[in-house]
Amino acid sequence: MEAEPEVMELYGLPFSDLLRLSSNSALPSPTNGDQSRLECISASIMEALGPSGPGLLSISGVPFASSLRRSLLPLALHLSLLNPKDRASLLKRHGLGSDVPLKKPDRSVSSFASLLKYQGESVLDQVQDIDFTSNAEEIAHNFGLSEHNDSEFDHLGDTFEKLGRCMMELGVRLARVCDNAMRITELEKSIIHSGSAKGRLIHYHSMLDGLILKEAIKRVGLKNRSKKSPAFNEICKEKSTVADLWQQWHYDYGIFTVLTSPLFLSSTVEGEHLVSKESPPPMGHSCLQLFDNRKKRIVSVKCQPDSFIIQVGEAADVLSGGKLRSTLHAVCKPMRLTGDVSRETFVVFLQPSWDKVLHCHGFSLDPDEEVRSGDELADIHSKIPPLSARLRDGMTFAEFSRETTKQYYGGSGIQSKR
């Protein structure tokens, strides 16, 4: 049996510190001790996101995040298993679409996406003076974000947008902190000039999902499947003896990717119904894996429930002149994962405007090329098109995006499923 990768706990940035480091409003002058503490936090952020760090960090204590996350993430599973006609109507009503094929019953991922507009005004500034130890549901209610008892999909679009806007602002604020530390203005300005970001509600399928979808294609509804339910449930309780991937190894090519901590759901078929409940993280981690260039090994990421993860994309590599380092990552199905467990998350991709010109002179586009040619995990790197093959000095971000997509997933792309 394969050995599980080492688990790495991310550097955790409290939301209250991010707010203080990134605030544009007048704040009381910090004491010498507080100023020193904030400088240490800024240095730790740059270390986590720079060439000597993993390229990502977590943010904890964001107000009403728990309520929004728990309202939205379970809907990813339910959307994935709806019949196509009802799902198409529902997505259209809420202004969402899908950016992956949804017709294959053996698909590993379902994704529901929408463009989020950057509206300028702060969503999070209004909570600067809130006591973060007070009741989370009371905070959510005060900001109009309390959970609803209506039909589960009634507020899909609204919750998608509210959580997306919060996550966009976290990314903009972190970009401001990085800009200040590097004494540049590239990151925040590039995100804001873009004016929008892509939000994706993602369901990583369980084995049980595949069985249900295949049965649906055979035109057997849940009510006609009740006699088969025990067999489904028994099969899906078996534990895998090998690790697999929900999502292949890749770099994100934007500026920052902002993710919720994942929600894991364990499901069973009970008569005419699919019953799901929250499950602890498999093996105690998020199933997000990184390739650690320093130690030349794979690590699994652990984060706190209800926290957000922000990871560096390749555009940030370029805009920062190599002072930030993008993250080579995948989403794994760990060993001993039972077939009834799925993974739900919400992701916001922050990127420059399509006409942003990228200049890459002055630093190496592939600083880890020696890792590609020598380490025992060369198979991973063989599936990654080098940045130097996808980016030329003076390219627009749109050109870089097209070339990256082509070399990963195009007809002759390295990860093409042709």
Side-chain angles (χ1 to χ4, degrees), residues 74 132 237 256 298 366:
F132 296 137
K237 288 299 180 183
F256 285 149
I298 296 171
D366 294 306

Side-chain angles (χ1 to χ4, degrees), residues 10-171:
L10 296 180
Y11 170 72
L13 174 64
F15 170 73
S16 54
D17 287 334
L18 174 64
L19 204 62
R20 190 161 183 82
L21 282 166
S22 63
S23 179
N24 282 329
S25 59
L27 293 173
S29 298
T31 63
N32 289 338
D34 192 36
Q35 181 63 38
S36 177
R37 187 182 70 84
L38 291 175
E39 289 173 357
C40 286
I41 293 171
S42 180
S44 295
I45 291 170
M46 293 304 297
E47 181 178 1
L49 302 183
S52 63
L56 72 173
L57 52 72
S58 68
I59 299 175
S60 60
V62 181
F64 50 73
S66 177
S67 178
L68 286 170
R69 172 180 172 272
R70 290 179 180 276
S71 294
L72 183 63
L73 296 194
L75 301 184
L77 165 62
H78 302 161
L79 282 169
S80 299
L81 300 182
L82 277 180
N83 74 70
K85 184 177 179 181
D86 288 347
R87 180 172 57 221
S89 174
L90 184 67
L91 293 176
K92 183 177 181 180
R93 187 163 75 246
H94 290 281
L96 305 179
S98 179
D99 52 1
V100 300
L102 297 177
K103 294 182 179 180
K104 296 181 179 180
D106 58 349
R107 63 187 183 270
S108 60
V109 172
S110 292
S111 173
F112 310 100
S114 181
L115 200 63
L116 299 161
K117 297 294 185 180
Y118 183 71
Q119 299 182 2
E121 72 272 15
S122 171
V123 178
L124 300 173
D125 254 342
Q126 26 183 339
V127 297
Q128 288 185 77
D129 299 323
I130 288 181
D131 176 8
F132 296 137
T133 62
S134 64
N135 184 276
E137 295 303 322
E138 183 180 345
I139 292 173
H141 177 75
N142 290 341
F143 285 87
L145 298 167
S146 53
E147 295 183 3
H148 302 278
N149 294 319
D150 303 358
S151 171
E152 63 176 345
F153 293 119
D154 281 356
H155 300 276
L156 169 63
D158 186 50
T159 307
F160 189 108
E161 182 180 358
K162 282 188 169 111
L163 185 55
R165 285 185 61 198
C166 288
M167 293 165 67
M168 286 178 72
E169 185 169 342
L170 290 177

Side-chain angles (χ1 to χ4, degrees), residues 137-336:
E137 295 303 322
E138 183 180 345
I139 292 173
H141 177 75
N142 290 341
F143 285 87
L145 298 167
S146 53
E147 295 183 3
H148 302 278
N149 294 319
D150 303 358
S151 171
E152 63 176 345
F153 293 119
D154 281 356
H155 300 276
L156 169 63
D158 186 50
T159 307
F160 189 108
E161 182 180 358
K162 282 188 169 111
L163 185 55
R165 285 185 61 198
C166 288
M167 293 165 67
M168 286 178 72
E169 185 169 342
L170 290 177
V172 169
R173 286 181 175 276
L174 185 63
R176 188 181 304 157
V177 173
C178 292
D179 278 344
N180 290 339
M182 296 184 291
R183 301 186 185 281
I184 63 173
T185 58
E186 280 290 339
L187 300 180
E188 181 184 7
K189 182 174 67 176
S190 295
I191 294 171
I192 291 175
H193 182 66
S194 173
S196 62
K198 185 177 184 179
R200 294 181 73 198
L201 177 62
I202 305 176
H203 170 65
Y204 295 90
H205 286 249
S206 66
M207 181 194 300
L208 178 60
D209 295 344
L211 294 173
I212 290 172
L213 290 170
K214 286 174 184 175
E215 286 295 303
I217 286 178
K218 295 176 185 176
R219 302 180 182 277
V220 178
L222 274 174
K223 63 184 179 181
N224 297 323
R225 198 189 300 125
S226 57
K227 292 182 180 179
K228 297 186 179 183
S229 299
F232 274 12
N233 296 333
E234 184 177 338
I235 290 171
C236 293
K237 288 299 180 183
E238 296 177 3
K239 294 183 179 180
S240 171
T241 57
V242 295
D244 196 3
L245 293 178
W246 265 311
Q247 188 173 30
Q248 266 291 354
W249 290 93
H250 66 285
Y251 289 99
D252 292 344
Y253 57 83
I255 295 177
F256 285 149
T257 304
V258 188
L259 310 92
T260 62
S261 58
L263 175 71
F264 294 93
L265 296 175
S266 174
S267 302
T268 57
V269 177
E270 297 183 3
E272 300 181 9
H273 303 285
L274 183 71
V275 178
S276 301
K277 62 180 180 180
E278 186 171 352
S279 175
M283 311 304 294
H285 59 73
S286 67
C287 293
L288 177 64
Q289 290 190 337
L290 312 180
F291 182 78
D292 188 333
N293 281 314
R294 298 164 299 167
K295 299 181 180 179
K296 300 181 179 62
R297 64 183 179 184
I298 296 171
V299 296
S300 296
V301 170
K302 182 178 181 180
C303 60
Q304 297 301 313
D306 299 323
S307 64
F308 292 91
I309 297 172
I310 301 185
Q311 62 187 41
V312 177
E314 291 175 319
D317 281 21
V318 177
L319 294 172
S320 69
K323 293 177 181 176
L324 301 183
R325 179 69 59 82
S326 53
T327 310
L328 178 57
H329 62 284
V331 180
C332 73
K333 291 181 182 178
M335 290 184 291
R336 298 187 289 280

Side-chain angles (χ1 to χ4, degrees), residues 353-404:
S353 60
W354 295 115
D355 60 358
K356 175 70 176 179
V357 177
L358 302 176
H359 294 291
C360 52
H361 53 76
F363 72 101
S364 172
L365 289 179
D366 294 306
D368 303 311
E369 186 61 37
E370 69 278 4
V371 176
R372 289 177 178 273
S373 59
D375 81 294
E376 61 184 28
L377 299 171
D379 181 56
I380 291 176
H381 294 284
S382 71
K383 298 175 182 176
I384 309 298
L387 181 57
S388 57
R390 296 179 279 119
L391 177 65
R392 297 184 303 277
D393 189 59
M395 263 187 169
T396 64
F397 180 71
E399 292 169 332
F400 171 53
S401 172
R402 284 195 296 269
E403 189 62 29
T404 294

